[in-house]
Amino acid sequence: MLIALGVTGGIGAYKAVEVARGLQKRGHDVVAVMTHSATRFVGAVTFEAITRRHVITDQFEMGMNADIEHIALASTIDLLLIAPATANIIAKLAHGIADDFLSTLYTATRAPLLLAPAMNTQMLEHEAVRANLNTLAARGARFVDPGEGYLACGWIGKGRLAEPDEIVAAAEAILRPEGPLRGQRVLVTAGPTYEDVDPVRFIGNRSSGRMGYAIAAEAARRGAEVTLVTGPTTIEAPAVRQIVKVRSAAQMHEAVMSRAGDMQVVVMAAAVADYSPAARAEQKVAKDGDTLTLLLRKTPDILGELGQRRVAKGGGPLLVGFAAETEDVVAHAMAKRERKHADLIVANDVSRSDAGFDVDSNAVTIVGAEGADALPLQSKSRVASEILTRVERLLTARAVKV
Ligand code: CTP
């Protein structure tokens, strides 16, 4: 989701950098909006480097008015978070004064407002400040308490800005209603594997990693603690809890099997090589003769082993596999689901040029215990959302059963 992070001129402004990072780690997009006085505490360039977005510091900056940015931004953000919020911005918001970008953004947006006030204790206790906070609270604003609590016992805290973790958690609570994936540990594999033939050659495949990366990003957005095990790709990694880079099927096998015991969900979106050179040549293989024979050996079937392990133990993570097919897509996927003891198989018709490998869209059929569900061609992030909605349903059903 898109969050406008307003930063105003208080000593706690440096902590807002950590807030931006924390929000990004949870899969959110952050655009920083700094007041003039905030820039005296932290440089805009710091936020720019973290958010990888232009930082708004001035209402009348050149280029800012071409698309009336405060209106454009106001209608696209999911949350306006101000941390730290000084007595000055609190007063301006309470009274509808719009004399800089941040205060104007507030009056122009319908997104929820979350404030993390920070100021000296005397100021915090002042009648005027308390009245302004009450006005904003009555209007629906939410707060992250500084010190010891506004709601429970009045403004008796020290006024120090709340810790970044608390602020991120408060933002999450507003943005994300409790969903079944929240706090669940999810492992996603993505990308191809490269099986080395010699020091310069390998056997690979056309997987870009996009589908797996979209699932990892969407799971993080739904509050899951995501571990992404990825083969070699060139696309940008999503903000998730942990990224484990691997190259070969054997490395992916090790990375997944050693972690799967701790997971509630494993999604095998990687295009794992089924065969690998029986031996990797130490030196570059020289040209010799008209034909060359490579001896390949079957790689361990990671999803299959996870399924076996689950059957043997009578429990384990929910398993989602992918099936790249070129014919009889649904029948093959159904057989694969049974064979590998997976909960869901996402079947991909890779013979289509507008879906599957190395494109942004995908048309899949999701096969589960109840049958097959063919989804229309759509973006990989929407497909990821459809898959995870079904995973959430299964998690809920499991919880009910227990
Ligand atoms: N997979 C795996 N380990 C492997 C190969 C594949 O975990 N060594 C996973 C893939 O990540 C995918 C699923 O298994 O989720 C299906 O892969 P696929 O190669 O299509 O399945 P196979 O059972 O090998 O069937 P086929 O005979 O069609 O190749």
Side-chain angles (χ1 to χ4, degrees), residues 326-340:
T326 51
E327 56 180 358
D328 286 340
V329 177
V330 173
H332 281 159
M334 284 186 163
K336 207 164 281 183
R337 181 179 167 276
E338 298 276 319
R339 197 167 66 237
K340 299 203 183 195

Side-chain angles (χ1 to χ4, degrees), residues 5-312:
L5 173 62
V7 186
T8 65
I11 188 69
Y14 73 95
K15 287 191 190 170
V17 177
E18 276 304 306
V19 172
R21 282 177 67 96
L23 291 169
Q24 285 182 312
K25 270 194 198 147
R26 303 295 184 105
H28 301 296
D29 236 345
V30 178
V31 54
V33 180
M34 302 179 76
T35 61
H36 181 66
S37 53
T39 61
R40 304 177 80 123
F41 290 88
V42 199
V45 71
T46 307
F47 284 99
E48 193 166 286
I50 297 281
T51 62
R52 290 188 237 142
R53 272 176 175 268
H54 173 71
V55 174
I56 302 167
T57 52
D58 184 356
Q59 177 118 21
F60 301 106
E61 204 175 306
M62 283 308 289
M64 195 61 66
N65 302 292
D67 61 351
I68 323 188
E69 192 160 349
H70 61 264
I71 303 294
L73 192 63
S75 57
T76 50
I77 57 173
D78 300 292
L79 175 70
L80 173 57
L81 161 63
I82 305 182
T86 56
N88 186 46
I89 191 74
I90 288 166
K92 287 205 276 185
L93 303 193
H95 294 279
I97 295 168
D99 66 349
D100 63 4
F101 194 95
L102 185 57
S103 51
T104 309
L105 179 63
Y106 168 67
T107 54
T109 190
R110 292 292 160 265
L113 173 68
L114 175 64
L115 291 167
M119 66 195 78
N120 150 287
T121 311
Q122 302 279 51
M123 291 171 75
L124 205 49
E125 287 174 354
H126 195 281
E127 275 296 299
V129 176
R130 292 176 64 150
N132 289 335
L133 286 165
N134 285 332
T135 301
L136 291 170
R139 231 180 259 156
R142 249 82 62 91
F143 301 92
V144 192
D145 291 351
E148 286 135 65
Y150 164 61
L151 296 173
C153 38
W155 287 95
I156 57 165
K158 296 191 186 73
R160 205 195 60 217
L161 181 65
E163 290 309 312
D165 279 357
E166 266 179 83
I167 298 172
V168 171
E172 283 270 285
I174 294 174
L175 288 171
R176 236 193 284 277
E178 287 280 322
L181 269 173
R182 190 161 183 174
Q184 301 287 302
R185 288 182 297 277
V186 175
L187 187 147
V188 181
T189 65
T193 62
Y194 287 178
E195 308 304 321
D196 289 333
V197 173
D198 68 16
V200 295
R201 303 183 181 95
F202 62 85
I203 300 173
N205 63 66
R206 286 173 49 214
S207 166
S208 65
R210 284 197 183 90
M211 193 62 244
Y213 278 38
I215 293 170
E218 180 61 26
R221 228 173 271 132
R222 294 181 186 215
E225 292 179 13
V226 177
T227 300
L228 174 63
V229 176
T230 175
T233 64
T234 52
I235 58 173
E236 202 180 315
V240 294
R241 179 65 44 106
Q242 196 194 10
I243 296 184
V244 183
K245 292 187 177 171
V246 297
R247 181 173 169 85
S248 63
Q251 288 170 358
M252 185 167 280
H253 176 256
E254 205 285 319
V256 174
M257 297 312 287
S258 62
R259 290 172 175 84
D262 280 342
M263 300 290 154
Q264 275 92 32
V265 180
V266 174
V267 181
M268 286 292 306
V272 188
D274 288 328
Y275 290 89
S276 179
R280 175 183 182 275
E282 285 296 318
Q283 307 299 332
K284 188 181 159 203
V285 178
K287 208 171 25 268
D288 184 24
D290 288 340
T291 58
L292 173 73
T293 305
L294 266 181
L295 184 64
L296 302 177
R297 181 163 291 136
K298 209 171 199 174
T299 58
D301 182 345
I302 307 169
L303 183 61
E305 270 187 40
L306 290 173
Q308 291 294 348
R309 201 199 252 185
R310 204 169 62 157
V311 171

